[in-house]
Amino acid sequence: MVVESTPGFETQDLLINVGPQHPSTHGVFRMVLEVDGEIVKDLVPHIGYLHRGAEKLCENNDFRQGVGYMDRTEYLASHNAELSYVMAVEALAELEVPERAQWIRMILCELNRLSSHFMFLGAFGVDVGVFGTPFIYAWREREAIIDLFEEISGDRMMYAYFRAGGLAWEVPGNFEERVREVLVSTRQGMKDFDNLLTRNEIFLARTKNVGIISAEDAVELGMSGPTLRASGVSLDIRKAEPYMYYDQIDFDVPVGTNGDVFDRYLVRLKEMEQSVHIIEQCLARLDDGPIMPERMPRMLRLPEDQEIYVRTEAPRGEYGIYLVSKGGNKPWRLKVRSACLSNLQALKKMSVGQYVADAIIILGSIDIVLSEVDR
Amino acid sequence: MSNGIYGIEIAWLDAVIRLHIIVGLMTVVVMGLIYVERKILARFQQRLGPTRTGPAGLLQSVADGLKLVGKEDLRPRNADPWTFELAPYMVFIPVFLGFVIVPFAFGMQVRILELGLIYFVATSSLGIIGWVMAGWGSDNRYAMIGGMRAAAQGISYELPLVLSLISVAMVSESYNLNDIVLSQSTYPNLLWQPLVLVIFIIAGLAELNRTPFDIPVGESEVVGGPFVEYSGIRWSFFFLAEYAALFIMGLIFAAVFMGGWAWPLGEELGRGWQILLVTIKTSLFIFLVFWIRASVPRLRIDQLMSFSWKILLPLAFLQVLINGAVLVYEAPLWILTITGMLGIVVLVRLIERAVRPQPVTNESTVSIGNESVS
Amino acid sequence: MRGIVKSLATTMSTFIRGPVTRGYPSKHRELPERDRAFPLLLWDKDIDEPFCTGCHACERACPVECMTVLMKDNPSHESQDGNSKRRKIVDEFWIDYGRCMRCNICVEVCNFEAIAMNNTWSGHETSVYDRSDLVMDLPQLMAQSKSDEIQEWVAD
């Protein structure tokens, strides 16, 4: 907008509203951009469009019912979300999870990390501007993984498969064989992405040195997951505070150096290779055995006046559950520490001074799930 | 000048008939192109594409057209009525004017103009006004950004396009498309002008607002740009113009670089064969455009501008100079082939140098391993 | 430029590999036996009555409270000269599919294996024009089991 006031011209910044209905806000995120020409001067994010009160709902539901709500806080990586919840309950109830259940949980969580990262690659590729192709590549591989989840748990997104103590039921007989099949197609999908994007000059031009955030800023903003590691901080909860059997597994943590959009893309792609590696090791260690503890009460009750914070490495970063129990079969207070919400704090810092088109891919590179941000 | 088709001698009547044929042809071709694009893109993306309307989805474009005609013609309350409503025609008419000179076969064009290429460039650049009008008149900020981007992009890429066509005209020693085609009956121009071919394709993609230059309409940023407030039949005019422009660009590509109907089978062919040849060559270009659309991301506006002004334009100028020198001193034409090839190498190097990131920290590659938490 | 050529080669390779999608409404994927759509009630074919005794276990366990169950005395119980061992039986049963979150808990808590998740496509294609049509009553919940349309899967 050009406004004539004095004998010359005076310019005024333009406000653009992006979202909640916009093709690349990954759900119902809204940001108001203040732009000077094509340069972003200021950015105001607005969240809360998807708030359902999942934490409060969990306070009114017992520990089996709560799992279903956890699925819905992180619908792209439901297994990982369930895991934090059941681990918190198990820790308070002092339940010993059988070995087989732990291995299966690890396999499913890593598979879910793969499917979630595929979703990121697809959506990110579309944000950068390839017409749909990455999305379909991603969907192709995600479909294979989700089909496997459906064969195991019966549902494609809201699995409700982990239970405090173990698993809801046994995996089907051909589980190992099917996982190996999925890994083959996953490798092909990763290769396709690598060929399609990683070395493409236009992709490099768009993503390199865009949306840089330094390691210090990233740590101060409480970022976690691949978004943090792209800035050069090698913090992976699977390594730093191993849970389940991650301490018995050999894997690397890919770390970026530049902290730009390209690093966030590449770290995720490398992380997927590591996930495949982890799943293979888990499959080798998988043994027969029970999937639930032998002495499992019909209705799980937690001891009085206990609290715990459990965190796991979900695909988007630290997914933490803070659980306060005052006895009974329901949590007295449940708080979800969402990685997406913390990562989103960095959006303004990354975007100001960049182009409008960059603000879009920076948002894409954070890989938010709005249901986790708003809960 | 020809004596007209079917023995009609009156020049204007002849022209009117030919124009009507073109309008019909164009509509059918655009509908076909939309279907083909959807099918080809789907195939690139391992999808099925349209399947539900008619056998193999053949009637998809008809269904789309009916839907668009049936839709309400909305105009935002704050939109500038005249600008808003005239913009689709301002985009469409220049594209349509371009059809006057394109040759489908020997003698099969509306008019043979001596300055055909100049005419084509002049008309096609008029369309930018329509884009700006649509962007400004919609009273929508996405549309305005899109319209401004379209103007910047259209003007910048006009120049490499014009220079590339001038280079070819120099080699063919004519601006007349008919003569250009005839001059290529033994060797097509792309043999002498490989660099110009690359520049033409890049600038052509930018003129057509196609990926990787679909910045004005960038679906993921400005949500369709200037089109964002249009619906129904007005929106379909934009679409019609877009695909008609693609078709013309393909025809120009076939005529200017691939020898149109004259190469490789000589100019004595039957008319059916000539049309077939032109169709194949045009389809080649169009397929390439679709292929690129399925494969590459979108550039950013500043990168787009600097690419045009800093890389494409100097190279195109250089080619014009070399062409001039070779033609004035009557040097053998294969020198042009070699310089053209060298030019392509330079272009590739320049692109790769341009995307190499200026290091911000010490190194910009991802290292795998465990570093301590800082 | 070489990277762009590589991208073009990648898309060409998928062009040759062929489609991976299905023409969904006309072609259905085979569902795994564990597939969970919405809960259904099962029919005891030996005695010609529902397995469900209307014990409210599922109603109490449902996290979203989408079920309503009413119980009655079984008219065909042995004491009434019938051939059934069920003293009580379900009188009315409503499930609001619009609320159901398909968590499978009702199936797990059922002591009579009287409820199961629909694992056929009919359970997924339940679009209606009115939300109230999603509230299923007893005959609707029974229909598929009566006509042998589902092969239920119940976790052991």
Side-chain angles (χ1 to χ4, degrees):
Chain A
M1 268 188 283
V2 179
V3 183
E4 196 180 0
S5 54
T6 43
F9 280 114
E10 207 171 88
T11 57
Q12 187 183 325
D13 290 338
L14 181 69
L15 282 180
I16 309 178
N17 177 48
V18 179
Q21 285 144 347
H22 185 279
S24 33
T25 50
H26 297 255
V28 284
F29 179 66
R30 174 177 169 223
M31 54 184 181
V32 178
L33 300 178
E34 195 180 317
V35 296
D36 176 13
E38 289 265 350
I39 311 275
V40 177
K41 285 292 210 27
D42 194 14
L43 184 150
V44 184
H46 294 264
I47 58 170
Y49 290 93
L50 205 57
H51 178 68
R52 296 140 299 159
E55 292 169 359
K56 190 72 190 167
L57 280 168
C58 281
E59 290 168 19
N60 294 318
N61 283 290
D62 67 35
F63 297 114
R64 176 160 57 184
Q65 295 170 332
V67 173
Y69 286 108
M70 285 300 115
D71 284 338
R72 284 152 179 84
T73 59
E74 234 273 41
Y75 52 78
L76 290 180
S78 302
H79 278 318
N80 297 70
E82 287 170 23
L83 180 70
S84 291
Y85 180 74
V86 294
M87 274 172 60
V89 178
E90 281 155 9
L92 283 191
E94 288 169 3
L95 285 170
E96 190 68 36
V97 184
E99 209 167 300
R100 179 175 168 81
Q102 291 279 42
W103 288 115
I104 292 174
R105 278 184 184 180
M106 276 172 76
I107 294 171
L108 293 180
C109 284
E110 290 304 320
L111 278 172
N112 220 161
R113 189 185 311 278
L114 285 173
S115 87
S116 168
H117 280 355
F118 268 126
M119 179 69 208
F120 160 78
L121 292 175
F124 181 64
V126 172
D127 284 345
V128 179
V130 192
F131 182 81
T133 311
F135 216 82
I136 307 289
Y137 285 8
W139 228 243
R140 189 182 75 203
E141 305 313 333
R142 187 169 175 269
E143 185 74 11
I145 296 172
I146 282 180
D147 278 351
L148 173 64
F149 287 158
E150 192 183 16
E151 282 164 34
I152 295 166
S153 68
D155 210 307
R156 297 172 69 77
M157 281 172 89
M158 311 301 170
Y159 314 113
Y161 183 57
F162 293 177
R163 294 291 146 85
L167 302 170
W169 48 80
E170 183 56 81
V171 292
N174 60 351
F175 174 67
E176 288 180 43
E177 188 186 318
R178 286 284 290 123
V179 173
R180 281 182 215 282
E181 259 175 53
V182 165
L183 289 187
V184 171
S185 78
T186 299
R187 281 213 185 83
Q188 176 67 44
M190 274 150 48
K191 216 172 92 191
D192 281 345
F193 267 107
D194 204 24
N195 289 338
L196 183 73
L197 294 178
T198 310
R199 268 173 222 83
N200 189 315
E201 276 84 1
I202 300 176
F203 182 75
L204 288 173
R206 281 302 301 280
T207 54
K208 279 269 186 191
N209 292 337
V210 167
I212 295 174
I213 188 141
S214 68
E216 290 74 29
D217 287 342
V219 172
E220 272 173 22
L221 284 164
M223 290 164 71
S224 56
T227 324
L228 172 70
R229 292 195 283 276
S231 296
V233 184
S234 175
L235 177 65
D236 188 323
I237 298 162
R238 292 174 294 175
K239 278 272 190 219
E241 295 171 10
Y243 51 95
M244 296 205 284
Y245 297 136
Y246 278 112
D247 48 350
Q248 302 175 27
I249 294 284
D250 164 50
F251 67 100
D252 293 329
V253 180
V255 173
T257 48
N258 214 359
D260 57 11
V261 172
F262 181 76
D263 277 3
R264 294 198 270 280
Y265 157 80
L266 202 61
V267 161
R268 285 193 174 88
L269 200 63
K270 300 268 183 210
E271 205 171 284
M272 288 165 74
E273 284 165 19
Q274 295 303 319
S275 284
V276 172
H277 189 49
I278 292 172
I279 294 168
E280 279 171 345
Q281 293 177 57
C282 293
L283 278 177
R285 303 280 295 270
L286 195 60
D287 252 332
D288 282 345
I291 52 160
M292 275 300 233
E294 296 210 347
R295 280 152 37 83
M296 190 65 196
R298 242 181 105 80
M299 176 62 81
L300 193 64
R301 283 171 199 284
L302 292 192
E304 272 184 38
D305 292 330
Q306 299 269 328
E307 59 177 58
I308 193 166
Y309 178 72
V310 168
R311 55 179 188 166
T312 59
E313 182 74 21
R316 281 165 196 79
E318 177 181 332
Y319 191 93
I321 295 284
Y322 176 63
L323 186 78
V324 183
S325 161
K326 298 217 165 170
N329 59 356
K330 290 167 185 168
W332 184 80
R333 172 79 173 100
L334 185 94
K335 166 90 177 79
V336 178
R337 190 271 184 202
S338 142
C340 295
L341 180 63
S342 312
N343 292 350
L344 203 54
Q345 312 300 322
L347 181 66
K348 182 175 175 183
K349 200 156 196 136
M350 292 178 191
S351 302
V352 170
Q354 307 278 352
Y355 286 81
V356 176
D358 289 338
I360 302 289
I361 64 167
I362 289 168
L363 177 64
S365 76
I366 299 175
D367 189 21
I368 47 167
V369 164
L370 258 297
S371 72
E372 193 191 325
V373 175
D374 295 342
R375 299 190 289 282
Chain B
M1 280 297 296
S2 69
N3 289 324
I5 40 168
Y6 314 122
I8 297 167
E9 301 274 344
I10 312 161
W12 67 266
L13 192 59
D14 169 70
V16 165
I17 290 170
R18 283 168 190 251
L19 279 172
H20 274 88
I21 294 171
I22 291 281
V23 171
L25 179 85
M26 189 180 69
T27 319
V28 174
V29 165
V30 166
M31 285 168 94
L33 274 181
I34 291 172
Y35 170 74
V36 168
E37 162 153 43
R38 291 178 69 166
K39 270 292 188 193
I40 288 183
L41 274 179
R43 180 83 193 187
F44 274 123
Q45 297 168 358
Q46 299 189 288
R47 291 186 287 124
L48 292 168
T51 52
R52 313 276 307 162
T53 40
L58 268 170
L59 298 176
Q60 186 64 46
S61 299
V62 180
D64 286 349
L66 284 176
K67 185 204 81 173
L68 286 172
V69 171
K71 268 181 128 173
E72 186 185 355
D73 181 25
L74 284 172
R75 194 184 73 213
R77 195 176 51 195
N78 293 336
D80 185 337
W82 281 96
T83 329
F84 184 81
E85 300 204 345
L86 282 180
Y89 309 110
M90 281 304 295
V91 172
F92 173 71
I93 290 170
V95 172
F96 177 68
L97 286 176
F99 272 105
V100 169
I101 50 116
V102 288
F104 297 95
F106 181 73
M108 277 186 76
Q109 64 227 83
V110 177
R111 278 293 178 267
I112 299 171
L113 297 184
E114 280 307 317
L115 290 177
L117 274 184
I118 300 290
Y119 171 83
F120 164 71
V121 171
T123 51
S124 71
S125 58
L126 280 176
I128 298 165
I129 297 173
W131 285 72
V132 178
M133 279 167 71
W136 186 259
S138 300
D139 189 37
N140 180 308
R141 290 167 188 191
Y142 289 127
M144 198 177 76
I145 291 180
M148 294 302 154
R149 285 176 173 187
Q153 174 177 341
I155 292 166
S156 310
Y157 278 84
E158 203 64 35
L159 295 171
L161 189 74
V162 173
L163 286 173
S164 71
L165 289 177
I166 284 178
S167 309
V168 181
M170 287 168 89
V171 176
S172 292
E173 299 178 357
S174 173
Y175 280 121
N176 184 332
L177 270 174
N178 215 35
D179 293 349
I180 290 175
V181 172
L182 285 174
S183 74
Q184 300 176 64
S185 52
T186 41
Y187 298 110
N189 278 335
L190 70 94
L191 206 59
W192 314 127
Q193 304 281 288
L195 172 64
V196 173
L197 177 75
V198 175
I199 292 176
F200 175 82
I201 290 174
I202 293 173
L205 283 173
E207 276 290 294
L208 296 168
N209 296 317
R210 285 262 158 189
T211 318
F213 306 107
D214 58 341
I215 296 166
V217 293
E219 210 44 63
S220 60
E221 299 150 22
V222 289
V223 219
F227 310 156
V228 71
E229 294 289 357
Y230 285 89
S231 70
I233 196 76
R234 274 177 221 287
W235 185 82
S236 73
F237 261 98
F238 283 114
F239 228 61
L240 194 65
E242 191 182 330
Y243 282 86
L246 175 65
F247 183 44
I248 294 190
M249 203 59 92
L251 285 167
I252 296 282
F253 166 82
V256 170
F257 289 98
M258 302 286 279
W261 33 265
W263 181 79
L265 299 173
E267 47 202 89
E268 302 298 319
L269 278 173
R271 190 160 277 177
W273 290 107
Q274 290 182 350
I275 292 175
L276 186 67
L277 262 182
V278 172
T279 313
I280 290 171
K281 289 167 182 175
T282 311
S283 311
L284 206 68
F285 179 81
I286 292 171
F287 182 78
L288 185 68
V289 171
F290 293 164
W291 188 7
I292 290 172
R293 185 173 184 204
S295 310
V296 297
R298 182 186 306 123
L299 276 168
R300 206 169 57 203
I301 185 78
D302 62 315
Q303 294 162 345
L304 169 104
M305 301 297 273
S306 63
F307 180 58
S308 170
W309 292 100
K310 292 181 186 164
I311 298 180
L312 278 191
L313 198 61
L315 280 175
F317 261 124
L318 207 63
Q319 181 72 45
V320 172
L321 288 178
I322 294 171
N323 277 1
V326 168
L327 291 171
V328 166
Y329 295 106
E330 292 181 354
L333 281 177
W334 52 261
I335 293 177
L336 287 179
T337 315
I338 292 170
T339 52
M341 289 294 183
L342 283 175
I344 291 179
V345 173
V346 171
L347 180 65
V348 170
R349 288 271 163 221
L350 284 176
I351 290 174
E352 283 176 2
R353 225 191 71 188
V355 297
R356 192 186 307 148
Q358 286 82 39
V360 170
T361 51
N362 294 333
E363 51 182 318
S364 55
T365 51
V366 168
S367 63
I368 294 184
N370 295 309
E371 292 161 22
S372 58
V373 181
S374 63
Chain C
M1 207 68 156
R2 274 172 292 182
I4 293 172
V5 170
K6 196 163 188 183
S7 300
L8 289 171
T10 311
T11 41
M12 187 43 93
S13 85
T14 46
F15 188 88
I16 294 161
R17 267 185 255 162
V20 290
T21 52
R22 304 174 198 90
Y24 161 62
S26 49
K27 291 195 187 75
H28 282 102
R29 183 174 62 97
E30 203 180 316
L31 290 176
E33 69 172 352
R34 295 183 179 190
D35 184 74
R36 301 206 301 261
F38 288 104
L40 288 176
L41 294 181
L42 300 177
W43 186 256
D44 188 351
K45 293 213 176 48
D46 300 335
I47 321 179
D48 258 4
E49 65 177 20
F51 281 113
C52 179
T53 58
C55 69
H56 297 270
C58 51
E59 190 184 3
R60 278 198 301 269
C62 181
V64 288
E65 295 163 14
C66 69
M67 295 171 166
T68 312
V69 191
L70 294 177
M71 176 201 275
K72 66 176 178 190
D73 289 332
N74 191 353
S76 55
H77 185 244
E78 285 162 338
S79 62
Q80 312 275 335
D81 300 331
N83 52 355
S84 169
K85 288 197 162 35
R86 295 181 185 90
R87 192 175 296 278
K88 299 278 185 184
I89 199 150
V90 60
D91 183 20
E92 289 285 357
F93 203 118
W94 291 279
I95 302 181
D96 185 352
Y97 280 3
R99 291 193 71 146
C100 175
M101 66 188 240
R102 295 149 58 233
C103 60
N104 206 42
I105 288 176
C106 50
V107 181
E108 281 169 42
V109 297
C110 185
N111 297 315
F112 307 96
E113 297 196 357
I115 191 166
M117 297 305 256
N118 189 346
N119 55 5
T120 63
W121 275 104
S122 65
H124 291 282
E125 295 162 342
T126 52
S127 53
V128 291
Y129 286 103
D130 190 340
R131 278 191 190 191
S132 60
D133 294 345
L134 283 173
V135 182
M136 299 290 165
D137 58 8
L138 193 58
Q140 282 169 310
L141 291 169
M142 289 289 185
Q144 304 215 12
S145 178
K146 259 186 192 170
S147 59
D148 267 337
E149 274 171 54
I150 67 160
Q151 291 294 313
E152 74 275 9
W153 180 83
V154 180
D156 39 28

